[in-house]
Amino acid sequence: LQNTTTTKQILFCTLSYKVDHPQVPVQTKTYHTMIANRSKMSTKRKFIADGVFYAELNELLTRELAEDGYAGVEVRPTPLRTEIIIRATRTQNVLGEKGQRIRELTSVVQKRFDFEDNAVELFCERVNNRGLCAQAQAESLKYKLLGGLAVRRACYGVVRFVMEASAKGCEVIVSGKLRGQRAKAMKFGDGYMIKTGNAGQLYTDTAVRHVMMRQGVIGIRVSIFLPHDPEGKNGPSIPLDDVVTILEPKEEPSPETLIRQQQEAEADRLAASQPTALPEAPLEEAAGGEF
């Protein structure tokens, strides 16, 4: 294998070689088979197995569901089974007719990673706002370029669509042999974009795609700066660090009102400090009533 071969390609080659040559023993403790028994391994191996599993699963779904608006995957291990949630813009195409396609994907994942029966289940979730999903916009731009649309027109269309979807900012970078034999990079952007610090990691959604054009490979990078959403649906619920909220000051009473309140309080204090005079008894009671 060449040095450029990735871990996912090595795992695919291992499986295909095992199918073609069943008599050749293959290592049983590879990371793609250990994901089914992740509860029985050390912490270090568990992290590596989870990473390899997610990388290969994401690559499989990216190639298989590219035309259906694939927008990412989430793996949720539970004590009973492993749940895989596929996010896409066209959920009906992912499910297939009467759920046939999602069952086929479940069978492929189960056989590939040596899961037991009913130990893994795939679900499909619709993307609420595809204008704020970088992966969906990168796939859209990819198929626009494959369809022969001009680079500038395609990129400006994506930027405008993203900004109309209430995004704070958007940036599209296209590099490769765009026109002629000389490779170059073009950058299209609009709005506000933070690339460094915690805000760059929390608020920026980035996706990269490779377009196999006739003249060569063109690289696409779409970055979307998400808006602040207190509910956490369209964007992060944590506000930016440099956003300052100025509260309205409380109403202060006028000086005349303060002086009058002080005088009333002083009068009440003096009245409370003076001794109370006892009431005098009637004259008949004082003389004993003998008149």
Side-chain angles (χ1 to χ4, degrees), residues 105-119:
L105 291 173
T106 304
S107 177
V108 169
V109 172
Q110 177 181 342
K111 293 178 181 178
R112 170 64 184 140
F113 297 101
D114 294 344
F115 281 103
E116 298 180 357
D117 294 339
N118 300 324

Side-chain angles (χ1 to χ4, degrees), residues 210-226:
H210 306 292
V211 187
M212 306 300 176
M213 303 289 286
R214 186 171 54 185
Q215 67 269 24
V217 181
I218 292 180
I220 296 173
R221 179 187 294 271
V222 178
S223 300
I224 300 175
F225 194 75
L226 303 174

Side-chain angles (χ1 to χ4, degrees), residues 143-279:
Y143 283 100
K144 285 182 180 179
L145 296 179
L146 287 174
L149 193 63
V151 176
R152 288 180 180 271
R153 187 174 180 182
C155 293
Y156 277 125
V158 169
V159 171
R160 185 174 63 254
F161 184 81
V162 170
M163 295 304 295
E164 289 176 355
S166 71
K168 283 288 190 67
C170 177
E171 184 183 63
V172 177
I173 302 176
V174 182
S175 62
K177 290 196 287 186
L178 306 177
R179 183 168 38 180
Q181 290 298 313
R182 182 71 176 183
K184 62 179 180 178
M186 300 177 68
K187 186 182 294 186
F188 307 87
D190 191 10
Y192 185 55
M193 180 68 63
I194 295 179
K195 300 184 180 180
T196 59
N198 183 51
Q201 299 176 0
L202 187 65
Y203 272 82
T204 306
D205 187 16
T206 306
V208 177
R209 290 294 182 270
H210 306 292
V211 187
M212 306 300 176
M213 303 289 286
R214 186 171 54 185
Q215 67 269 24
V217 181
I218 292 180
I220 296 173
R221 179 187 294 271
V222 178
S223 300
I224 300 175
F225 194 75
L226 303 174
H228 170 63
D229 186 6
E231 297 180 358
K233 294 181 179 180
N234 293 327
S237 58
I238 303 175
L240 288 171
D241 297 333
D242 57 348
V243 174
V244 179
T245 304
I246 301 178
L247 303 177
E248 290 293 333
K250 297 181 180 180
E251 294 186 2
E252 296 183 0
S254 61
E256 293 80 6
T257 306
L258 291 176
I259 294 174
R260 187 173 64 253
Q261 291 177 354
Q262 292 177 359
Q263 291 176 352
E264 292 176 356
E266 185 69 19
D268 294 341
R269 187 179 63 82
L270 291 175
S273 61
Q274 292 179 357
T276 305
L278 295 175

Side-chain angles (χ1 to χ4, degrees), residues 91-143:
T91 54
Q92 193 61 40
N93 294 350
V94 176
L95 295 175
E97 187 177 356
K98 298 181 180 179
Q100 179 180 358
R101 193 175 188 187
I102 196 75
R103 288 196 300 269
E104 292 176 356
L105 291 173
T106 304
S107 177
V108 169
V109 172
Q110 177 181 342
K111 293 178 181 178
R112 170 64 184 140
F113 297 101
D114 294 344
F115 281 103
E116 298 180 357
D117 294 339
N118 300 324
V120 61
E121 189 167 357
L122 271 66
F123 301 94
C124 189
E125 179 183 358
R126 182 185 296 274
V127 177
N128 294 328
N129 192 348
R130 62 189 182 96
L132 299 178
C133 180
Q135 295 196 41
Q137 295 306 311
E139 290 289 346
S140 173
L141 180 58
K142 174 182 175 181
Y143 283 100

